Amino acid sequence: MPAALTATPAASGDMQLVGRALARDGDAFRTIIKTHNQRLYRIARGVVRNDSEAEDIVQEAYVSAFAHLEAFRGDASLATWLSRIVINEALGRLRKKRRMVAMPENPQAEIIRFPLNPSDDPERTMAQRQILELVERATDSLPDIYRMVFVARVIEGLSIEETAELLGVRPETIKTRLHRARALVRKALDDQIGPVLLDAFPFAGRRCERLTNAVMQRLRLSG
């Protein structure tokens, strides 16, 4: 069960939204889900390195969070609170896999293709997709402790302090791991693509809508 948190003024908007959700306002649930889908999906995928499993983790995390929504008190942002639940769910999946030694893991993570900007010309779109695939593979190859920091800090864009709070370690540790993660990614890319905008692992469009609707259905809510 998620730990209870204490309110701060900075979280007043979150508290209002949570209050509406506690009153079974379907629009509030949908707003929470759509607002946080991409961040939570990216974090989950950063842990388990599998698209479909990451989506399942996010769905289960939402259901768990909404079942214990009264525990949210606003000490951290709603995004951070939900992210912690996702990380716990994802790490739990990894531990379970490691115990099931008789069942080998599929080493190939399924990569679901997402459309880029439709206004771009085909050659540019193809080049962007190839770059993103290189970044995704380089990220997937990182050891766990570096990959989680890299996804949170670089791909998701959290601050050093937010990442430290999310992962429960000191900011200095985040800086050290991030430095190492960047070096490993640069090595994996082998200077082939130069600096790029790391807009990898998108979660939008039909996929975002599908997960939102699935959670709403499980909560027996409409809106």
Side-chain angles (χ1 to χ4, degrees):
M1 173 178 173
L5 302 174
T6 306
T8 62
S12 60
D14 285 342
M15 294 301 296
Q16 291 177 1
L17 192 58
V18 167
R20 289 170 52 202
L22 287 171
R24 304 295 290 177
D25 181 338
D27 287 339
F29 282 101
R30 187 173 289 275
T31 297
I32 291 171
I33 296 166
K34 287 198 167 186
T35 298
H36 300 98
N37 265 349
Q38 178 153 296
R39 169 184 285 192
L40 300 184
Y41 169 77
R42 284 172 161 173
I43 289 172
R45 195 193 182 286
V47 176
V48 299
R49 293 182 288 183
N50 181 283
D51 291 341
S52 59
E53 188 171 9
E55 188 172 337
D56 184 59
I57 286 168
V58 173
Q59 185 176 149
E60 291 301 319
Y62 277 131
V63 172
S64 175
F66 291 147
H68 304 98
L69 201 54
E70 72 282 352
F72 178 75
R73 296 291 182 267
D75 182 56
S77 69
L78 185 58
T80 298
W81 189 72
L82 291 170
S83 297
R84 288 171 179 167
I85 298 172
V86 166
I87 285 179
N88 288 336
E89 176 72 22
L91 292 176
R93 298 286 184 100
L94 287 184
R95 287 191 293 268
K96 184 176 180 180
K97 279 186 177 181
R98 288 164 184 162
R99 288 196 299 265
M100 297 172 64
V101 293
M103 298 180 63
E105 291 187 52
N106 178 4
Q108 297 298 323
E110 176 191 5
I111 303 298
I112 298 179
R113 307 299 178 188
F114 293 88
L116 297 176
N117 188 342
S119 65
D120 289 337
D121 63 82
E123 290 186 359
R124 181 179 179 185
T125 298
M126 179 61 70
Q128 288 176 329
R129 171 49 60 193
Q130 290 172 344
I131 289 172
L132 293 183
E133 287 178 350
L134 286 173
V135 173
E136 289 173 353
R137 287 198 295 270
T139 303
D140 282 348
S141 71
L142 291 171
D144 291 350
I145 62 171
Y146 300 130
R147 188 174 65 254
M148 293 173 66
V149 170
F150 188 81
V151 169
R153 181 74 180 94
V154 177
I155 295 180
E156 185 52 37
L158 302 185
S159 68
I160 292 288
E161 291 73 19
E162 288 171 327
T163 305
E165 181 182 16
L166 181 63
L167 300 180
V169 298
R170 297 183 305 165
E172 294 76 13
T173 302
I174 295 298
K175 292 177 183 178
T176 300
R177 292 180 182 177
L178 179 61
H179 178 78
R180 179 59 176 160
R182 288 183 187 275
L184 290 171
V185 168
R186 282 196 297 268
K187 181 179 179 182
L189 294 175
D190 197 27
D191 297 326
Q192 293 183 40
I193 61 173
V196 296
L197 176 63
L198 297 182
D199 190 20
F201 313 132
F203 197 92
R206 286 181 296 176
R207 193 172 198 190
C208 176
E209 189 68 24
R210 184 177 70 248
L211 191 145
T212 300
N213 289 336
V215 175
M216 296 292 287
Q217 184 176 8
R218 290 181 64 176
L219 295 170
R220 292 183 172 84
L221 291 168
S222 59

